[in-house]
Amino acid sequence: MNIYHEFGHMLDNAPGLVDVFSGALDDPSFVGDNGYLTKDSRNSVDITNDPNYASVQSIQASRNTPTEQWADAFANYVAGNINLDTSSGKDMYNFVTKMLIQNIPIDTR
Amino acid sequence: MKLSHTLYILIIVNIVLTGCMSKSLPPTSIQTTTQTLAPTSIPLTATASPNPIPTTTLTPPATLEPEQAQETIQALLREPVDCDAPCFWGIMPGQTTLGEAVNIFTRLGLQVKYTNARDHKKFYEIGYEFDSSLSTLSLLTTQNDIVENLRVYITPEKQMAGVPRMWSAYSPEFLINHYGVPSNVDFKTDWGPRTFFAMDMYFDRMDLIVEYSGYGIIDEKLNICPLTFQFDSVQIWMGKNPVNPPSSGILLEEATSMTMEEFSKLMTGNPNKACLNLKVKMFR
């Protein structure tokens, strides 16, 4: 989980993309008053699909800043832990996919 | 040397993740529109339409004034009245229709939002925030317009010594006093970036699961005090086939040297002494 989170930071610091992802966060519904991803935006508060650990937190943010919020949103997207049955989960999924499509051209043919 | 090794790993991960993303990115986003159900447009029968279009209506209930509604919701969170689990606020999974559930929430002045449909099920959410930091979000799973199960997220208020918790109807001591010894109890911990702790209680006979979790409340000795910890989250699953139930942790009998009966006795005794030590080696 942490590698997904750190990879999210890497995208947000790649040449030409510095703060593009985190800078687009504008008081989104999937970030709570405490500055971390809301509980209902995720299927689980902990992830257990890592064979090396009993459980791993689905929040890997060390601080409640936009760069950490983006990295956590990206990490939960990659881990398949976004709850699509809630408004905030859907908002988070749509935000991540929109940002990736807009900024990282991928040939899906 | 170390840096180049890290870079090498990142490049490999980059290639792998890029490969994953090229398959998983959808051409269009998920529909973000949420439909709010009004009490006068309550679906009572299943329709072929992907949207919950009404076919019959129930008589809408009178909505309580905001102050009255807040008092009622506070009372419901403190003690369930004539409504034992898996019943929640008068909604009985497997029996209550969506229309009836909408009326219950409407009476409290709460909006029911349609959020998603998949696997022949439809999902609805209902949120409420108190003036304090306490808030709740209820997520209904319906099938054929019957509430199949529900999941409730409670964000507890900041606890103050000597003041009863506002969500005491779902506290460990209340549940054990009310429903008896749990079927199972398990624990989960994690150490970074913030320390994380979760305790899950299962009451199989009532189709009830409750998870208490929080950050920064445990230390390395793993002395835990579930009745006085400031939890960040209390999650409740009610009904059969719960959606995204909590992942399994280390069972009480393995994590401690206590039996379920001893644990129950401890949780229903003096709250300030209701602490137990988890076996550190089981969580490292």
Side-chain angles (χ1 to χ4, degrees):
Chain A
M1 192 65 185
N2 181 257
I3 190 72
Y4 300 154
H5 174 94
E6 301 305 336
F7 192 81
H9 281 309
M10 198 179 84
L11 292 178
D12 201 34
N13 285 282
L17 292 173
V18 174
D19 292 340
V20 164
F21 299 95
S22 58
L25 288 162
D26 184 17
D27 193 21
S29 66
F30 52 88
V31 173
D33 293 339
N34 62 3
Y36 294 93
L37 298 187
T38 58
K39 291 185 290 287
D40 55 296
S41 66
R42 293 165 284 142
N43 287 326
S44 175
V45 294
D46 54 83
I47 308 285
T48 55
N49 59 2
D50 190 326
N52 297 309
Y53 296 94
S55 69
V56 179
Q57 296 172 49
S58 59
I59 296 287
Q60 289 288 316
S62 54
R63 290 167 299 152
N64 53 358
T65 58
T67 55
E68 297 291 330
Q69 292 157 5
W70 157 254
D72 267 349
F74 176 78
N76 279 275
Y77 168 80
V78 177
N81 195 41
I82 296 180
N83 188 345
L84 299 177
D85 301 330
T86 63
S87 301
S88 66
K90 286 165 71 174
D91 287 347
M92 185 157 80
Y93 182 90
N94 287 338
F95 176 79
V96 175
T97 51
K98 183 188 82 174
M99 293 306 293
L100 291 175
I101 289 168
Q102 281 181 356
N103 296 292
I104 303 179
I106 299 171
D107 188 347
T108 56
R109 284 174 297 175
Chain B
M1 183 67 183
K2 199 171 181 181
L3 181 64
S4 62
H5 183 67
T6 305
L7 273 174
Y8 180 71
I9 290 172
L10 283 174
I11 290 165
I12 296 292
V13 171
N14 192 355
I15 292 165
V16 171
L17 283 181
T18 305
C20 291
M21 282 191 292
S22 66
K23 289 176 185 169
S24 62
L25 285 182
T28 56
S29 64
I30 287 181
Q31 191 178 357
T32 54
T33 309
T34 53
Q35 182 175 345
T36 301
L37 291 189
T40 51
S41 60
I42 298 160
L44 291 181
T45 57
T47 66
S49 165
N51 290 318
I53 304 298
T55 54
T56 317
T57 59
L58 288 176
T59 306
T63 301
L64 296 175
E65 292 297 319
E67 295 79 15
Q68 277 182 299
Q70 180 165 312
E71 284 173 17
T72 306
I73 294 169
Q74 277 177 341
L76 288 167
L77 287 171
R78 286 224 164 97
E79 187 168 0
V81 182
D82 297 330
C83 182
D84 281 346
C87 175
F88 178 77
W89 295 7
I91 299 167
M92 179 63 87
Q95 295 178 20
T96 304
T97 65
L98 174 62
E100 291 164 344
V102 169
N103 275 356
I104 288 169
F105 289 115
T106 301
R107 179 172 170 273
L108 297 168
L110 307 182
Q111 289 187 333
V112 179
K113 288 182 188 169
Y114 167 74
T115 55
N116 199 14
R118 59 180 170 84
D119 305 329
H120 308 292
K121 300 177 198 293
K122 291 173 184 167
F123 296 85
Y124 300 83
E125 69 178 13
I126 306 97
Y128 186 77
E129 287 187 26
F130 288 86
D131 295 336
S132 62
S133 52
L134 178 74
S135 66
T136 68
L137 185 89
S138 309
L139 187 61
L140 305 182
T141 307
T142 68
Q143 188 161 22
N144 298 326
D145 283 330
I146 298 288
V147 177
E148 185 177 72
N149 57 53
L150 45 84
R151 180 178 181 176
V152 182
Y153 304 81
I154 298 175
T155 303
E157 78 284 10
K158 180 142 183 65
Q159 267 173 238
M160 288 184 284
V163 178
R165 287 161 292 181
M166 293 178 72
W167 46 275
S168 54
Y170 303 99
S171 63
E173 66 273 27
F174 182 91
L175 296 177
I176 293 170
N177 275 323
H178 207 67
Y179 300 120
V181 175
S183 316
N184 267 317
V185 174
D186 66 29
F187 304 94
K188 288 169 278 192
T189 62
D190 192 45
W191 303 99
R194 295 180 291 167
T195 59
F196 170 79
F197 170 75
M199 178 176 86
D200 301 332
M201 290 175 60
Y202 294 78
F203 295 86
D204 292 346
R205 197 164 55 85
M206 268 64 73
D207 294 322
L208 170 67
I209 308 169
V210 184
E211 179 171 274
Y212 311 90
S213 63
Y215 298 94
I217 55 178
I218 52 169
D219 58 22
E220 290 190 347
K221 292 179 181 170
L222 284 180
N223 180 249
I224 63 156
C225 304
L227 304 191
T228 52
F229 271 173
Q230 173 69 58
F231 288 113
D232 293 300
S233 166
V234 177
Q235 287 188 68
I236 305 159
W237 289 260
M238 287 176 162
K240 298 193 183 304
N241 309 313
V243 178
N244 295 317
S247 55
S248 56
I250 297 177
L251 291 171
L252 171 77
E253 294 85 348
E254 297 170 9
T256 71
S257 49
M258 302 176 83
T259 64
M260 200 65 74
E261 286 73 20
E262 288 169 336
F263 171 80
S264 300
K265 194 174 175 185
L266 184 69
M267 289 299 110
T268 50
N270 182 344
N272 295 317
K273 293 182 179 174
C275 299
L276 57 153
N277 281 306
L278 302 183
K279 293 176 183 171
V280 175
K281 65 179 179 186
M282 298 299 293
F283 294 89
R284 286 290 189 181

